[in-house]
């Protein structure tokens, strides 16, 4: 089940960052993103489709991934994800509030704009790769499905709205982000949010745990969607689902590094 895979990847991420800290070797977020996407596909080859677009120079400005989940009723829900990794020494997430020197646009604002499109809006999230041996960190467990396990914070999610709210004070330390973090497995594991299937449950989970800040949507002149469920995802997503090996699938979105699609089946309902 996808739930078990997400949990295992969190544990692995926590462990690898711990190993890197022990030898003073700072890993990069794209390393974990690529390896985690690989493991999801390797463990669920019949349910997962992926596409990596021409790799742009990520540098400090990063590159986005889109996650799409679908069910047998042709309902979809999408996520736009920007990854950040904890600094081994400072426990900060460097460049969390990155601003383009050329355009003066903040990365977080761009993530929100790319996500909250009028057609097929996506949930704007940050994925944080985390590890800490400090007992003062990550003390409030937020998952109601599984008992507290600190290592499961290894891959954690937070809303782009929450990240933007931290910008005024340039807050980027783990302790600043803690109130907003959710273990990423909850997205696919925690089934107590109602609805008839996984897609509706995820949509309800998102509404409760990653609410839209309408003050920010008004500031950026963005549309507030009533739901993130759609039957019409972008054409490049449909093309990937139809044939991921097709080399003629393109997107004009230069910030999109790749797409992963997961199809829920009866096993995931159990």
């Amino acid at each position: 089940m996808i739930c078990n895979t997400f949990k295992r990847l969190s544990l692995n991420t926590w462990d690898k960052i711990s190993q890197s800290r022990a030898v003073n070797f700072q890993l990069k977020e794209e390393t974990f993103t690529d390896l985690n996407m690989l493991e999801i596909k390797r463990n669920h080859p019949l349910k997962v489709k992926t596409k990596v677009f021409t790799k742009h120079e990520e540098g400090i400005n990063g590159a986005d991934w889109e996650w799409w989940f679908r069910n047998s009723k042709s309902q979809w829900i999408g996520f736009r994800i920007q990854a950040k990794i904890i600094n081994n020494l400072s426990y900060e997430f460097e460049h969390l509030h990155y601003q383009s020197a050329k355009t003066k646009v903040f990365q977080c604002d761009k993530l929100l704009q790319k996500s909250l499109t009028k057609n097929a809006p996506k949930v704007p999230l940050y994925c944080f790769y985390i590890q800490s041996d400090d007992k003062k960190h990550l003390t409030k467990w937020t998952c109601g499905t599984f008992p507290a396990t600190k290592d499961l914070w290894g891959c954690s999610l937070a809303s782009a709205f929450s990240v933007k709210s931290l910008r005024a004070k340039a807050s980027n330390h783990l302790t600043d982000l803690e109130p907003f973090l959710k273990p990423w497995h909850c997205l696919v594991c925690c089934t107590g949010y109602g609805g008839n299937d996984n897609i509706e449950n995820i949509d309800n989970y998102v509404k409760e745990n990653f609410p839209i800040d309408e003050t920010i949507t008004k500031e950026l002149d963005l549309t507030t969607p009533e739901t993130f469920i759609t039957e019409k995802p972008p054409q490049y997503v449909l093309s990937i689902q139809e044939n991921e090996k097709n080399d003629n699938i393109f997107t004009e979105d230069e910030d999109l590094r790749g797409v992963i699609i997961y199809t829920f089946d009866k096993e995931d309902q159990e």
Side-chain angles (χ1 to χ4, degrees):
M1 292 176 64
I2 189 68
C3 171
N4 295 332
T5 302
F6 268 56
K7 288 172 64 182
R8 186 174 64 257
L9 291 176
S10 286
L11 298 174
N12 291 346
T13 299
W14 181 280
D15 184 55
K16 287 297 181 184
I17 298 176
S18 178
Q19 292 175 26
S20 74
R21 180 177 284 117
V23 296
N24 192 29
F25 185 85
Q26 180 65 50
L27 291 164
K28 296 182 178 181
E29 49 259 20
E30 54 263 34
T31 300
F32 283 107
T33 298
D34 287 349
L35 289 175
N36 286 344
M37 295 304 103
L38 168 64
E39 285 302 298
I40 290 172
K41 187 166 188 178
R42 194 176 68 84
N43 282 275
H44 308 279
L46 300 180
K47 298 182 182 182
V48 173
K49 305 286 186 180
T50 58
K51 186 73 175 179
V52 179
F53 296 108
T54 302
K55 190 176 187 298
H56 301 278
E57 291 298 322
E58 295 184 30
I60 62 174
N61 60 309
D64 301 341
W65 270 80
E66 284 186 7
W67 301 352
W68 287 88
F69 297 95
R70 64 187 287 267
N71 61 18
S72 59
K73 298 183 291 185
S74 297
Q75 291 179 314
W76 301 70
I77 186 167
F79 296 80
R80 183 89 175 200
I81 310 288
Q82 173 69 219
K84 299 294 180 184
I85 191 169
I86 197 166
N87 181 284
N88 285 344
L89 299 178
S90 67
Y91 292 94
E92 295 177 341
F93 294 91
E94 296 178 320
H95 313 298
L96 180 62
H97 305 298
Y98 172 78
Q99 182 183 29
S100 169
K102 182 178 181 180
T103 65
K104 305 302 180 183
V105 176
F106 284 95
Q107 182 186 63
C108 185
D109 291 356
K110 198 171 186 179
L111 176 61
L112 288 163
Q113 291 164 346
K114 295 281 188 178
S115 300
L116 298 181
T117 51
K118 291 184 178 179
N119 297 319
K122 298 157 285 290
V123 183
L125 296 180
Y126 279 79
C127 181
F128 294 100
Y129 302 130
I130 297 171
Q131 196 278 334
S132 174
D133 293 323
D134 192 326
K135 294 181 179 179
K136 294 180 293 185
H137 293 162
L138 304 167
T139 57
K140 186 179 179 181
W141 184 242
T142 60
C143 176
T145 303
F146 299 102
T149 305
K150 196 170 184 180
D151 298 21
L152 285 175
W153 289 108
C155 298
S156 296
L157 302 174
S159 170
F161 291 106
S162 300
V163 170
K164 182 175 170 63
S165 72
L166 295 172
R167 185 193 303 161
K169 295 183 178 180
S171 304
N172 67 347
H173 194 275
L174 176 58
T175 54
D176 300 317
L177 283 157
E178 279 189 50
F180 308 108
L181 295 175
K182 307 294 180 185
W184 83 338
H185 70 261
C186 288
L187 193 66
V188 293
C189 294
C190 298
T191 58
Y193 288 86
N196 295 318
D197 62 11
N198 300 84
I199 298 297
E200 291 183 10
N201 186 81
I202 290 174
D203 189 52
N204 291 333
Y205 175 84
V206 165
K207 290 175 181 176
E208 182 166 329
N209 291 280
F210 306 120
I212 292 174
D213 186 329
E214 296 199 11
T215 301
I216 292 175
T217 58
K218 290 178 181 178
E219 173 193 337
L220 298 177
D221 193 26
L222 300 173
T223 302
T224 301
E226 294 183 5
T227 178
F228 285 99
I229 298 175
T230 181
E231 294 182 356
K232 296 181 179 180
Q235 183 57 50
Y236 59 85
V237 175
L238 292 172
S239 297
I240 295 167
Q241 178 60 33
E242 182 179 349
N243 181 10
E244 64 180 337
K245 296 181 180 180
N246 183 353
D247 292 330
N248 295 317
I249 300 174
F250 300 101
T251 171
E252 296 180 358
D253 188 343
E254 294 184 353
D255 298 306
L256 185 58
R257 168 80 190 286
V259 174
I260 184 166
I261 302 169
Y262 183 88
T263 301
F264 287 112
D265 62 14
K266 292 181 179 179
E267 178 193 38
D268 297 298
Q269 297 279 66
E270 296 176 357

